[in-house]
Amino acid sequence: MFLDRQSLWHHLRRWEGLAADADGPFRLRFGTLFVADADAARDVLVDSADRYLSQSGFYRLGLVPLPQGLRAEASHELLKVLARHGPRASFDVGSALREAGDSRGRLRHQRWGVQVVRRYFAPVIAHPRHREINALVDAYVTSSVVADDIVGHVVRRSHRSVPRIRAGFADQLGRLPPPDDGPRDLVDVVLRLPGELSPADRAQLLQRLVLSTVGFTGVALEWVVLLGVRHGYDDPAVRPEQVRSLVKEALRLYPTAWRLLRVAAADHEIAGVPVREGEHVLIGTHALHRSAAVWDEPLRFRPARWENPTDEQRRSYLPFGKGKGMCPANGFAVRALEHLGSLILRGYRGEVRLCGRKPHARTLLAPPAGWTRLTGEPRPERQG
């Protein structure tokens, strides 16, 4: 079902309704156990994590995750790369937006955010000296991240670009020695990983890191700007704390990673519900974030709720997961969204046009088809 060509949004909304009426975890029609409360989610992700097969969305080869020690080392190297760069004060947001826009200056949803974030994270992904690798990254973002993970155009036809791009990555990585000094980009991160990893293995890991860096953050940026424009945040007087709350509320209402999936490694129980070895457990992040038992007016856009969130709301907020499988770059991603959101909303006036009202849910939860047009010129970023 998750490979259906159409958006899965109607399934998400139906599961939210079932979760609201259920007293604890329940099984979906295809047998997967659905979890939609904070305590049960923590039990799966943290307290009873050893009862589930080890997995990672970032550090895996096919369906098999790298060993935990290697994953920890990869995360450590990744954080060193991110620490080297930080928010890019010199980023030319005006040029990036013009490049992402069409001939009429419109930023098409389900693609423009990825294009801007790709440019923003360019030094993080691959140094400019890696010209061939950067060309392959651009091809991968267009033909796979946008076309498959976001839009879903390629599901029902042979998708040959990813194997070709991966072979290109493998060829280029096979020519490069591991760097002697600290990692400077994601290319260095995959090259420095120890063990018997082939160039093809390292190529696959690089692709997954590009998806997590560009895909998830790019879609979230579209939501931040779309909601900001529609609710009057496109104003030079908008304050950093307002953008911070806007980002949190955008990730609450429309969590890019709308579900977390685990596979039971042993028989056990979740909140009194038996789980059998091999059974799939789906944590519905979207349902947790929209529960009326936790959030006042949960379907309303209310950034002010983040001025004084309750403990239960903090526990129920999982845009990046929790526990060992949590996205290692979550802090950096949020800072990037706040920085880009501030640059765009403070520098431009916006106009949004939607072709429908329903978000588009595939691997990522993206805005409805349509476009955003920004007018004006970016103002210099204020300090402090």
Side-chain angles (χ1 to χ4, degrees):
M1 186 192 69
F2 292 126
L3 292 181
D4 192 303
R5 181 173 179 173
Q6 303 302 316
S7 171
L8 301 170
W9 179 246
H10 66 288
H11 291 292
L12 271 64
R13 294 294 287 136
R14 182 166 57 84
W15 297 342
E16 287 174 24
L18 293 173
D21 295 333
D23 184 19
F26 60 94
R27 283 183 172 79
L28 300 173
R29 287 185 299 182
F30 46 91
T32 294
L33 190 68
F34 191 86
V35 172
D37 72 81
D39 291 337
R42 179 181 174 84
D43 188 23
V44 173
L45 299 174
V46 182
D47 298 337
S48 299
D50 58 342
R51 294 177 175 174
Y52 295 86
L53 297 180
S54 179
Q55 68 179 76
S56 172
F58 312 105
Y59 307 120
R60 61 184 172 89
L61 300 174
L63 298 177
V64 181
L66 296 179
Q68 180 58 41
L70 199 55
R71 285 155 53 189
E73 184 166 347
S75 293
H76 179 69
E77 295 282 278
L78 173 62
L79 293 176
K80 286 198 291 186
V81 168
L82 298 179
R84 276 192 170 197
H85 294 282
R88 298 184 57 202
S90 61
F91 182 65
D92 186 350
V93 68
S95 176
L97 291 170
R98 286 191 294 273
E99 186 177 291
D102 64 15
S103 60
R104 299 170 65 181
R106 297 174 300 187
L107 299 167
R108 293 285 182 179
H109 299 160
Q110 303 173 14
R111 52 183 53 83
W112 77 262
V114 167
Q115 292 175 270
V116 170
V117 169
R118 160 65 178 118
R119 185 161 172 172
Y120 185 80
F121 284 150
V124 174
I125 295 170
H127 190 276
R129 70 181 183 278
H130 299 309
R131 288 185 298 176
E132 294 83 359
I133 290 179
N134 274 300
L136 289 165
V137 169
D138 290 335
Y140 174 65
V141 168
T142 300
S143 65
S144 182
V145 176
V146 171
D148 191 0
D149 295 298
I150 299 175
V151 179
H153 281 335
V154 299
V155 175
R156 292 185 180 177
R157 67 173 182 262
S158 178
H159 186 23
R160 299 177 180 176
S161 63
V162 170
R164 176 180 55 78
I165 292 169
R166 184 173 297 171
F169 278 135
D171 178 63
Q172 293 299 318
L173 293 173
R175 300 167 185 259
L176 297 172
D180 295 328
D181 53 356
R184 289 169 288 184
D185 53 26
L186 297 187
V187 173
D188 287 349
V189 170
V190 299
L191 285 173
R192 283 168 59 91
L193 287 178
E196 299 299 321
L197 294 173
S198 69
D201 293 337
R202 297 179 194 274
Q204 185 178 162
L205 292 172
L206 179 60
Q207 282 182 289
R208 296 195 187 284
L209 286 172
V210 170
L211 170 61
S212 62
T213 303
V214 173
F216 286 80
T217 314
V219 169
L221 177 64
E222 290 191 11
W223 280 119
V224 168
V225 173
L226 186 156
L227 291 169
V229 168
R230 299 193 80 178
H231 293 275
Y233 283 72
D234 50 336
D235 189 310
V238 68
R239 302 187 304 276
E241 59 270 23
Q242 290 177 294
V243 177
R244 189 171 302 118
S245 295
L246 165 61
V247 169
K248 287 185 175 181
E249 184 70 346
L251 290 173
R252 182 192 71 83
L253 269 175
Y254 305 106
T256 309
W258 54 268
R259 87 287 192 202
L260 305 169
L261 195 63
R262 296 293 185 268
V263 180
D267 294 352
H268 63 286
E269 291 187 353
I270 302 175
V273 178
V275 181
R276 302 303 179 196
E277 180 181 355
E279 186 172 355
H280 288 72
V281 176
L282 191 154
I283 298 171
T285 312
H286 62 95
L288 272 167
H289 287 189
R290 291 162 163 255
S291 170
V294 178
W295 312 91
D296 295 331
E297 298 181 293
L299 302 186
R300 284 196 59 188
F301 175 78
R302 287 179 49 195
R305 71 175 81 242
W306 294 103
E307 295 173 4
N308 189 29
T310 67
D311 289 341
E312 187 176 14
Q313 288 169 346
R314 291 190 184 95
R315 290 198 307 272
S316 300
Y317 186 63
L318 304 174
F320 299 97
K322 191 181 285 291
K324 292 181 179 179
M326 185 176 185
C327 173
N330 65 88
F332 185 81
V334 169
R335 290 194 297 274
L337 288 170
E338 292 174 359
H339 184 217
L340 285 169
S342 180
L343 288 176
I344 294 170
L345 294 170
R346 287 184 57 248
Y348 298 88
R349 295 292 295 177
E351 173 192 7
V352 173
R353 288 288 184 271
L354 301 180
C355 298
R357 301 180 61 183
K358 297 179 181 179
H360 188 77
R362 292 263 317 134
T363 303
L364 309 176
L365 178 57
W371 49 264
T372 295
R373 180 184 280 123
L374 301 173
T375 57
E377 291 295 330
R379 301 172 178 86
E381 187 175 11
R382 292 180 295 191
Q383 300 297 317

